[in-house]
């Protein structure tokens, strides 16, 4: 009987039973392949920066892996979102639909375009945008004029929608695509967290006009810092490459820049790391999936907690393992976070909702009851692939 063991202690024991008695961070990279070789190759050749073979190689491998026609490597995931939104036509005074429950980068990228985030509620089964609630909301507050979606409250154009695949779990992207179409919105997928996640066998990030990835140190694979835009549109791909590399025209010696460009290119040394990481992606993904199964077993007898599983028809990369507290025990969330962190297991609550952050507190928003509930109930668990690989070896 475990009835007189407190919930925080039960959770600490469950985590310990999965990852052993050692401490564990939330998400650490694994460098078990050609990382040293490829980075050394950069140093030996002196091509560490804006010239070198690895950027193109990394982009090519990303297209092979995701099935997108084009990939443009950039300096981080936020920059990828910024450029994707600009190229989708987002500009001053526009509004862009983003989830309230996301990392702040999604909202910031909208702001960089002079536009405002407009916050959308989640659904519990995906943690991401709820297409049904969103459709009802848009029916209520918008009208279509000249093939533009006008927010009747602000008079602004709602230009685009940015669904995000939370912790690697695919959002209901097929339905959201229909909503985007019906309301004349460009769809950009924030797939920062979902490299290796699929919907009906199609890679996340390939459903909209463009998709974006992050290769920050805590993501499934890392380039140190880095990101990418993927798209099937040749013209957009060309524009993305141009504008992220200072908009310089090709010339043997002349400096001609034909628009305001950005220095957002990914350095060769980072791309070298990325090439090595991509070679191991399938190993990392199976380790993460296996880690999920072990957590699932460890938590199955704790009735006040459920573990977040990939949505039906989807394959998740299980980037961050997640438990959801039942409503009856949300008042224990902070004690659980304290106990697990004190025990050496790095756990984290979900992000603060965008509307609770100072820069976004006055954002337009729909009713956010599910996102608010999720925000009180989500706890992310230590999720590094090596936690499984160490155990298996
Ligand atoms: C990590 C992340 C980003 C941005 O990535 P950076 O590479 O850190 O700029 C954007 N959106 C989401 C949802 C993320 O998790």
């Amino acid at each position: 009987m475990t009835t007189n063991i407190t919930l925080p202690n039960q959770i600490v024991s469950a985590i310990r039973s999965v990852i052993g008695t050692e401490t564990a961070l939330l998400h650490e990279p694994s460098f078990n392949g050609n990382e040293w070789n490829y980075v050394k190759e950069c140093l030996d050749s002196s091509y560490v920066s804006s010239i070198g073979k690895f950027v193109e190689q990394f982009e090519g491998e990303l297209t092979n892996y995701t099935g997108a026609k084009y990939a443009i490597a950039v300096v981080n995931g936020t920059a990828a979102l910024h450029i994707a939104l600009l190229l989708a036509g987002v500009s001053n005074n526009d509004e862009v639909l983003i989830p309230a429950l996301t990392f702040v980068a999604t909202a910031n990228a909208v702001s960089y375009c002079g536009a405002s985030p407009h916050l959308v509620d989640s659904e519990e089964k995906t943690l991401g945008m709820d297409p049904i609630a969103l459709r009802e909301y848009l029916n209520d507050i918008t009208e279509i004029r000249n093939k533009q979606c006008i927010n009747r409250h602000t008079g602004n154009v709602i230009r685009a929608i940015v669904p995000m695949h939370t912790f690697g779990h695919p959002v209901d992207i097929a339905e959201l695509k229909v909503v985007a179409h019906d309301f004349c919105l460009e769809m950009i997928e924030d797939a920062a967290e979902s490299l290796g996640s699929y919907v009906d066998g199609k890679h996340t990030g390939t459903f909209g006009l463009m998709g974006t990835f992050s290769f920050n140190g805590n993501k499934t694979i890392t380039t140190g810092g880095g990101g990418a835009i993927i798209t099937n549109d040749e013209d957009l791909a060309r524009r993305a490459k141009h504008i992220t590399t200072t908009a310089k025209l090709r010339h043997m010696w002349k400096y001609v820049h034909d628009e305001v460009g950005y220095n957002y290119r990914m350095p060769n040394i980072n791309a070298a790391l990325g090439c090595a990481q991509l070679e191991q992606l399938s190993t990392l993904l199976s380790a993460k999936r296996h880690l999920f199964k072990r957590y699932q077993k460890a938590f199955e007898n704790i009735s006040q907690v459920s573990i977040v599983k990939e949505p039906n028809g989807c394959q998740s990369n299980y980037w961050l393992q997640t438990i959801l507290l039942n409503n009856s025990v949300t008042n224990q969330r902070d004690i659980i976070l304290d106990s697990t962190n004190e025990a050496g297991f790095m756990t984290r609550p979900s992000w603060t909702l965008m509307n609770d952050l100072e820069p976004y507190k006055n954002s337009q928003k729909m009713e956010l009851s599910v996102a608010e509930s999720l925000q009180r109930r989500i706890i992310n668990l230590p999720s590094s692939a090596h936690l499984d690989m160490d155990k298996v070896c």
Side-chain angles (χ1 to χ4, degrees):
M1 285 292 280
T2 56
T3 43
N4 51 10
I5 301 178
T6 65
L7 180 61
N9 285 339
Q10 277 180 280
I11 291 175
V12 168
S13 304
I15 298 174
R16 184 171 288 130
S17 77
V18 171
I19 64 185
T21 51
E22 299 297 309
T23 58
L25 297 176
L26 193 66
H27 201 286
E28 289 179 288
S30 299
F31 300 125
N32 300 318
N34 282 316
E35 285 84 359
W36 277 107
N37 297 338
Y38 295 172
V39 170
K40 184 169 186 303
E41 207 179 311
C42 293
L43 298 177
D44 290 344
S45 69
S46 88
Y47 287 124
V48 294
S49 188
S50 47
I51 304 174
K53 69 170 191 188
F54 284 111
V55 174
E56 232 170 84
Q57 189 178 319
F58 185 56
E59 291 173 340
E61 286 167 8
L62 274 177
T63 60
N64 289 341
Y65 187 79
T66 59
K69 279 201 190 132
Y70 305 97
I72 299 91
V74 294
V75 73
N76 57 49
T78 313
L81 275 171
H82 178 195
I83 296 303
L85 289 165
L86 278 182
L87 295 182
V90 173
S91 62
N92 283 340
N93 302 323
D94 286 348
E95 294 174 18
V96 176
L97 297 164
I98 69 164
L101 182 68
T102 186
F103 178 57
V104 69
T106 323
N108 285 344
V110 172
S111 302
Y112 300 163
C113 299
S116 307
H118 190 142
L119 308 177
V120 176
D121 202 10
S122 296
E123 61 176 339
E124 183 154 336
K125 67 179 180 204
T126 67
L127 310 177
M129 281 184 175
D130 181 338
I132 295 171
L134 176 60
R135 176 182 290 280
E136 272 177 30
Y137 174 67
L138 291 177
N139 273 331
D140 242 28
I141 68 140
T142 69
E143 65 188 49
I144 305 294
R145 263 187 255 146
N146 303 325
K147 295 198 173 156
Q148 294 193 326
C149 182
I150 310 292
N151 177 342
R152 288 194 285 103
H153 297 315
T154 60
N156 294 331
V157 177
I158 305 181
R159 188 76 62 188
I161 179 169
V162 187
M164 194 275 285
H165 305 284
T166 316
F167 310 138
H169 297 299
V171 72
D172 188 351
I173 198 72
E175 270 314 305
L176 288 167
K177 189 169 177 164
V178 181
V179 172
H181 176 265
D182 292 349
F183 289 89
C184 305
L185 306 168
E186 298 290 3
M187 188 166 89
I188 307 291
E189 276 174 87
D190 183 351
E193 304 181 353
S194 66
L195 186 71
S197 301
Y198 297 80
V199 179
D200 288 330
K202 195 168 147 61
H203 201 285
T204 52
T206 62
F207 290 81
L209 189 64
M210 284 166 277
T212 63
F213 294 116
S214 165
F215 308 112
N216 193 36
N218 63 343
K219 295 292 184 350
T220 301
I221 66 163
T222 185
T223 58
I229 300 169
I230 56 172
T231 182
N232 286 330
D233 186 305
E234 185 181 357
D235 189 50
L236 284 174
R238 193 186 46 73
R239 295 261 301 125
K241 191 65 179 179
H242 186 62
I243 204 176
T244 55
T245 53
T246 70
K248 185 177 177 298
L249 299 182
R250 264 177 187 277
H251 192 278
M252 199 183 286
W253 43 261
K254 228 199 294 198
Y255 293 101
V256 182
H257 305 264
D258 64 352
E259 62 182 310
V260 177
Y262 297 82
N263 182 11
Y264 277 179
R265 80 176 90 226
M266 177 184 281
N268 197 47
I269 194 167
N270 299 77
L273 200 50
C275 290
Q277 288 269 282
L278 268 181
E279 291 171 359
Q280 294 159 77
L281 181 53
S282 68
T283 311
L284 297 173
L285 291 174
S286 26
K288 292 172 75 64
R289 174 166 295 269
H290 194 244
L291 185 64
F292 163 74
K293 291 201 172 126
R294 290 173 34 221
Y295 271 128
Q296 189 179 33
K297 198 152 193 307
F299 279 94
E300 77 191 348
N301 292 322
I302 308 180
S303 61
Q304 302 97 318
V305 165
S306 56
I307 188 146
V308 179
K309 195 169 179 283
E310 62 198 350
N312 288 337
C314 297
Q315 194 177 322
S316 173
N317 66 2
Y318 286 105
W319 172 51
L320 285 190
Q321 311 285 347
T322 307
I323 53 173
L324 277 182
L325 303 179
N326 284 1
N327 274 318
S328 58
V329 294
T330 52
N331 59 345
Q332 293 190 57
R333 186 195 73 174
D334 292 359
I335 307 169
I336 294 166
L337 288 165
D338 277 340
S339 309
T340 46
N341 280 286
E342 269 163 26
F345 304 129
M346 190 164 165
T347 57
R348 286 291 181 267
S350 85
W351 308 283
T352 302
L353 296 184
M354 292 304 102
N355 48 302
D356 289 328
L357 298 177
E358 185 60 30
Y360 298 115
K361 64 181 183 197
N362 297 322
S363 296
Q364 295 285 307
K365 58 178 196 282
M366 61 189 276
E367 205 216 330
L368 299 173
S369 54
V370 178
E372 280 160 5
S373 160
L374 288 171
Q375 207 275 333
R376 289 190 294 268
R377 294 162 54 212
I378 285 171
I379 294 181
N380 291 127
L381 307 176
S383 304
S384 312
H386 75 78
L387 294 174
D388 189 72
M389 301 195 283
D390 295 350
K391 195 98 175 183
V392 172
C393 295

